Amino acid sequence: MNETVRQQLQAFLAEQEQRGLLKKERVLTSSQSRSIEVAGKKVLNFCANNYLGLSDNKEVIQAAKDAMDRWGYGLSSVRFICGTQALHKQLEKRISTFLRTDDTILFSSCFDANGALFEPLLGEGDAVISDELNHASIIDGIRLCKAERFRYKHSDMNDLKECLQQSRHCRRRLIATDGVFSMDGDVAKLAEICALAKDFDALVMVDDSHATGYLGPTGRGTVELCGVEGQVDLITTTFGKACGGASGGCISGNQLLIDLYRQRARPYLFSNTLAPAICGGTLKVLDILEQDNPYKDLTMRNAKRFRSLMEAAGFDLVKGETAIVPVMVYDENKAVAMADALLERGIYVIGFCYPVVPQGRARIRVQLSAVHTQQDIETAVDAFVSVAKEMKLL
Ligand SMILES: *Cc1c(COP(=O)(O)O)cnc(C)c1O
């Protein structure tokens, strides 16, 4: 590496460090669960996307092992060469049934699904209209297409309408939104979005990564929660959060669109098939979701319980109805210091600062899971209270 590049990179890292923004990866010495070991120390985990607690579910693990025994470790191929097993078709069918869509196409991740979604469908003369707080993978997916870009203020329906009016000249228009926004834990206004889409003859895509499996009356996500089933053209989601937490994702929706993606989606055509173990594990997750899904209600009960205890203790929370509970600290350094102090007390949470959230809006994001016990939640709240008092924040 030449000296100039070396110095530039060192300067970047030093600056991040100095601003307290250098991301540290804490090494777990256990599997993912309600209680985990961080560098040998047992702590309660309140920062995983393990909403249903399925990451270490015995049945899911067994199903993944069985799939590996039956279907092998890997395919050494993309889907259209020799990478499509009956197992993959079965999983696609099951997801379509669960999400009540025509068809589904698998990807290695939801990041890839979003990377695949825009470019085949939208080109010059088309428009994509995106919520300003959409996930990075939607933003990157949009960058890969040549459509005109419109960005509306977060969940601002007047601004969305304005964008739809401004894009009247375009051939195809697609509104893109997260179902649940990861930093505030709020739900997209899908009923209003779908009504506007209908009025303006636009398509709608919803990324339900933070919702599939636990939100909505039967866990089918925000599309079900908001009562807009059949009105959303494309749903993307991940198997890496509530649905087992390993990896993998999909686009599910209208038949013609999924057919298009099988022909044209680049991460599908040029990246390896989803591993059999993940397909097998995800099929078991779908069994659980489609039977009585006992976990979903526990997730929501735990989230409500944590919210009400924290509010009673005087904390400032972002209001919401999901298992993401942001505890506002505002000051960046204090948010990081508070999360560190909580970890010291055996509560694993993360402080989020700019640029992940707006400047001056630093927070600790707490994520609840079906596997937390009532005692876990009380322990966490007590730790928050004593740390906040120490820091003179309460
Ligand atoms: C987590 C997340 C993704 C990425 O999912 P992976 O399967 O981990 O790539 C995409 N979109 C949203 C909204 C997410 O929250």
Side-chain angles (χ1 to χ4, degrees):
M1 186 185 290
N2 81 44
E3 189 57 21
T4 317
V5 176
R6 202 178 62 80
Q7 281 176 9
Q8 287 164 347
L9 297 180
Q10 278 176 343
F12 165 75
L13 292 168
E15 196 209 328
Q16 291 293 106
E17 167 101 74
Q18 200 195 351
R19 293 170 61 197
L21 297 178
L22 205 59
K23 288 179 191 61
K24 294 177 230 145
E25 293 180 1
R26 295 198 171 90
V27 179
L28 306 193
T29 44
S30 71
S31 62
Q32 182 65 274
S33 194
R34 61 171 267 279
S35 162
I36 53 174
E37 258 179 47
V38 179
K41 185 185 167 205
K42 252 199 157 66
V43 297
L44 289 173
N45 186 359
F46 283 93
C47 57
N49 302 310
N50 185 21
Y51 299 115
L52 295 171
L54 298 179
S55 298
D56 66 341
N57 179 284
K58 295 281 179 293
E59 285 182 283
V60 175
I61 294 168
Q62 190 57 51
K65 285 181 182 168
D66 292 347
M68 192 143 51
D69 287 344
R70 165 74 176 82
W71 298 96
Y73 175 64
L75 270 299
S76 305
S77 173
V78 299
R79 288 286 296 274
F80 82 97
I81 298 178
C82 58
T84 300
Q85 292 172 319
L87 183 68
H88 296 94
K89 298 311 288 180
Q90 194 189 346
L91 178 57
E92 288 176 339
K93 203 157 193 284
R94 285 289 303 281
I95 294 168
S96 311
T97 304
F98 181 67
L99 294 177
R100 301 184 177 124
T101 53
D102 297 342
D103 198 4
T104 298
I105 175 171
L106 301 175
F107 292 88
S108 304
S109 66
C110 189
F111 203 106
D112 270 356
N114 289 334
L117 187 138
F118 300 93
E119 186 265 340
L121 178 62
L122 304 165
E124 264 166 52
D126 299 326
V128 54
I129 305 169
S130 175
D131 188 292
E132 66 178 350
L133 291 191
N134 278 343
H135 189 263
S137 54
I138 296 181
I139 295 167
D140 285 10
I142 291 171
R143 281 183 184 150
L144 294 171
C145 81
K146 292 204 168 72
E148 207 175 321
R149 295 164 203 180
F150 294 83
R151 203 168 66 148
Y152 60 95
K153 291 199 194 80
H154 175 51
S155 280
D156 182 333
M157 294 298 107
N158 289 327
D159 203 26
L160 170 57
K161 191 169 179 184
E162 181 72 34
C163 292
L164 285 161
Q165 276 159 350
Q166 280 175 18
S167 60
R168 271 193 192 282
H169 60 284
C170 294
R171 179 186 67 151
R172 291 176 187 162
R173 292 179 292 169
L174 173 70
I175 303 170
T177 183
D178 282 13
V180 171
F181 293 87
S182 60
M183 285 300 137
D184 284 343
D186 56 325
V187 175
K189 296 175 180 163
L190 292 186
E192 285 152 276
I193 290 172
C194 289
L196 281 170
K198 192 157 178 249
D199 286 351
F200 286 86
D201 206 15
L203 299 161
V204 179
M205 82 74 86
V206 176
D207 177 347
D208 234 1
S209 290
H210 275 288
T212 305
Y214 89 92
L215 277 189
T218 62
R220 285 167 163 83
T222 59
V223 176
E224 185 189 35
L225 180 72
C226 299
V228 292
E229 282 180 303
Q231 298 175 54
V232 170
D233 301 279
L234 293 164
I235 300 168
T236 61
T237 194
T238 181
F239 315 140
K241 291 187 169 117
C243 300
S247 64
C250 65
I251 306 177
S252 193
N254 178 288
Q255 189 67 58
L256 285 170
L257 292 170
I258 303 302
D259 288 347
L260 168 72
Y261 292 129
R262 286 197 207 280
Q263 300 305 312
R264 289 276 188 271
R266 293 169 70 81
Y268 183 75
L269 296 173
F270 299 105
S271 184
N272 211 35
T273 298
L274 201 59
I278 292 183
C279 294
T282 308
L283 280 165
K284 177 54 74 179
V285 169
L286 285 162
D287 287 343
I288 294 169
L289 298 184
E290 284 184 335
Q291 286 155 14
D292 47 357
N293 190 355
Y295 306 110
K296 172 177 68 65
D297 294 342
L298 296 177
T299 314
M300 295 317 290
R301 187 200 64 186
N302 284 341
K304 285 202 181 94
R305 183 170 283 157
F306 180 76
R307 271 186 179 281
S308 67
L309 290 174
M310 288 291 281
E311 267 165 4
F315 284 96
D316 182 7
L317 310 180
V318 179
K319 298 245 174 307
E321 48 187 320
T322 69
I324 296 173
V325 183
V327 181
M328 294 307 296
V329 182
Y330 302 100
D331 182 279
E332 326 242 294
N333 294 321
K334 282 182 186 155
V336 173
M338 189 166 184
D340 286 345
L342 283 161
L343 184 60
E344 277 299 303
R345 284 165 196 262
I347 304 298
Y348 193 14
V349 286
I350 301 286
F352 286 90
C353 300
Y354 180 81
V356 180
V357 295
Q359 223 139 18
R361 300 272 305 159
R363 71 206 53 194
I364 292 178
R365 182 177 73 173
V366 180
Q367 291 172 284
L368 283 299
S369 165
V371 285
H372 291 131
T373 65
Q374 187 161 346
Q375 182 59 55
D376 293 344
I377 291 169
E378 285 165 16
T379 305
V381 174
D382 289 347
F384 262 98
V385 169
S386 62
V387 168
K389 280 186 177 153
E390 266 172 35
M391 294 178 68
K392 306 208 180 325
L393 296 172
L394 263 192

